[in-house]
Amino acid sequence: MGKKLTQVSFLFVFATLLVVIGHADITLDYKELWIYKWVYSFHMPLFFFLSGFLFAYTHPLSKMQGMGYFPFMMKKVRRLLLPFLFINSVIFVIKSRFVSAELLQNPLTFSFSSWVESMLWHPIGFMWFLPTLFMIFVFFSLLRGWIYVNVYLQMGGVILLFVLSYVMPDMSFMQISAAVHYSAYFGLGILYCIYRGKIDTILLRYKYGMLLGTFALSASLLPWKLVAALVGIVFSLILSLIVEKRSGVGLIHLSDYTYTVFLLSYFPQMLVRGPIAHAFPEVNQYLFSCVSFVLGFSLPILLGVIYRRVKDMNRLTRFVGLLLGL
């Protein structure tokens, strides 16, 4: 893997750490902390930005022109929708059977209609990311012939997506509204991949000043969501360019497990937030937040390492890996 993938590996690890930090809340007090507000100001736009970068990186112009739409989308069904179907269903059973309805943002009942609602309109918790990203791939793979046009049309398309995200009516079915909103960041990731040489030259020329400046702006919790997201992405890019020179192959290997962490960190973190925290109410909630962070990041990686040793045992192990996004 080249230097640029080392940079992106860091970015995926960094973004995943932000997700686990953001999900380490024990009580509502956690959401008033600076770190929580900072994480939520840009971490999901960063994920979609990185997804757009990888889409363009793995599909240069020559490959894009010969890309079959349906084979490509079937890969995304296996990679995104199959884990979504399984994991969202498992969470649905847990929450509908064992969690009081008043504790849920979207009340669930243990019924087929409620399950369908959670699958097609209101995914549970962080699971909205998977159908959203799938719908973005549906959109961009249909427009793959327009991705490598001139820079003015590319920038105009991204600006149009940002405008659409603010004027489009709410369409919760398969997260269509969210897909339109985050498509703009996905498109920016594509543009960064195409023009990264020129962009990186500018960023590296003033790297330390821009790093401090963008972090100061981002840390101030800018009230404008779009500006906060863009500043956070630029800060992350500069940080990654500085860190990659000091990174080894270990970072690349660690990034192989970020999707697993994203999908499975929910379970140890909810275990800490729920039964464990309720069983020991006298323990400081922020101590539990630290435990939640450590377990949420480390246990999925451990599971991923173990799975890689047994995945080729038989068809069942490979199928389980598909279900869990391993």
Side-chain angles (χ1 to χ4, degrees):
M1 293 185 179
K3 175 182 177 182
K4 192 53 58 180
L5 276 183
T6 304
Q7 177 202 6
V8 177
S9 295
F10 166 79
L11 285 169
F12 269 111
V13 173
F14 178 61
T16 303
L17 287 170
L18 295 179
V19 168
V20 180
I21 291 172
H23 293 167
D25 54 305
I26 303 301
T27 71
L28 293 177
D29 294 341
Y30 187 88
K31 296 183 179 181
E32 297 302 316
L33 297 178
W34 170 85
I35 185 67
Y36 178 89
K37 295 178 180 179
W38 181 65
V39 163
Y40 273 84
S41 70
F42 72 97
H43 77 304
M44 291 314 300
L46 177 61
F47 258 116
F48 286 101
F49 176 90
L50 293 175
S51 299
F53 175 92
L54 284 184
F55 178 63
Y57 187 88
T58 56
H59 294 82
L61 178 59
S62 57
K63 188 174 180 180
M64 189 76 72
Q65 291 174 336
M67 184 181 78
Y69 177 74
F70 289 104
F72 175 79
M73 290 312 305
M74 283 306 300
K75 291 180 181 178
K76 297 308 173 186
V77 168
R78 291 192 295 269
R79 186 61 172 164
L80 298 172
L81 293 191
L82 191 58
F84 169 70
L85 174 65
F86 179 72
I87 297 175
N88 194 72
S89 296
V90 171
I91 299 173
F92 170 81
V93 172
I94 293 173
K95 289 204 167 187
S96 62
R97 296 291 291 175
F98 304 107
V99 180
S100 300
E102 59 268 16
L103 298 178
L104 299 177
Q105 184 177 2
N106 294 301
L108 301 170
T109 59
F110 191 63
S111 64
F112 179 73
S113 61
S114 184
W115 175 78
V116 171
E117 176 82 10
S118 75
M119 297 301 299
L120 298 180
W121 281 275
H122 299 292
I124 302 173
F126 67 98
M127 295 303 294
W128 65 269
F129 174 79
L130 299 180
T132 299
L133 185 57
F134 178 80
M135 295 305 294
I136 289 175
F137 278 124
V138 169
F139 175 69
F140 275 90
S141 56
L142 283 172
L143 297 178
R144 60 192 182 278
W146 295 87
I147 288 177
Y148 290 95
V149 294
N150 67 71
V151 64
Y152 300 106
L153 289 176
Q154 291 166 337
M155 286 301 300
V158 171
I159 293 172
L160 177 61
L161 288 172
F162 274 119
V163 172
L164 285 175
S165 70
Y166 283 95
V167 301
M168 184 177 177
D170 181 47
M171 297 179 64
S172 57
F173 177 76
M174 284 299 292
Q175 303 302 293
I176 291 176
S177 293
V180 172
H181 175 73
Y182 287 107
S183 286
Y185 299 105
F186 190 94
L188 283 178
I190 292 175
L191 292 185
Y192 175 65
C193 182
I194 295 173
Y195 302 106
R196 66 187 185 275
K198 296 179 180 178
I199 296 172
D200 286 354
T201 298
I202 296 172
L203 295 179
L204 287 171
R205 186 179 302 164
Y206 311 102
K207 57 185 177 182
Y208 292 113
M210 292 187 69
L211 180 71
L212 292 175
T214 53
F215 178 72
L217 284 173
S218 183
S220 68
L221 303 179
L222 297 166
W224 311 284
K225 292 182 179 180
L226 174 58
V227 177
L230 294 176
V231 170
I233 289 173
V234 174
F235 162 74
S236 302
L237 285 178
I238 300 170
L239 180 64
S240 69
L241 289 169
I242 294 173
V243 170
E244 71 169 344
K245 296 182 179 180
R246 300 170 176 80
S247 302
V249 295
L251 183 63
I252 295 177
H253 294 318
L254 183 61
S255 70
D256 291 340
Y257 300 103
T258 53
Y259 187 52
T260 301
V261 174
F262 185 87
L263 292 181
L264 302 183
S265 60
Y266 171 90
F267 296 99
Q269 290 197 291
M270 289 304 100
L271 181 65
V272 174
R273 180 191 296 176
I276 294 178
H278 291 158
F280 301 96
E282 70 281 359
V283 176
N284 185 284
Q285 62 168 307
Y286 299 115
L287 176 60
F288 278 133
S289 292
C290 293
V291 173
S292 173
F293 169 76
V294 172
L295 295 182
F297 191 73
S298 62
L299 289 185
I301 292 177
L302 178 62
L303 179 61
V305 171
I306 294 172
Y307 174 76
R308 292 199 170 198
R309 297 186 178 184
V310 302
K311 67 177 182 179
D312 294 324
M313 289 179 57
N314 50 55
R315 292 182 179 179
L316 178 61
T317 56
R318 289 192 292 272
F319 182 66
V320 170
L322 284 176
L323 292 178
L324 297 177
L326 296 169

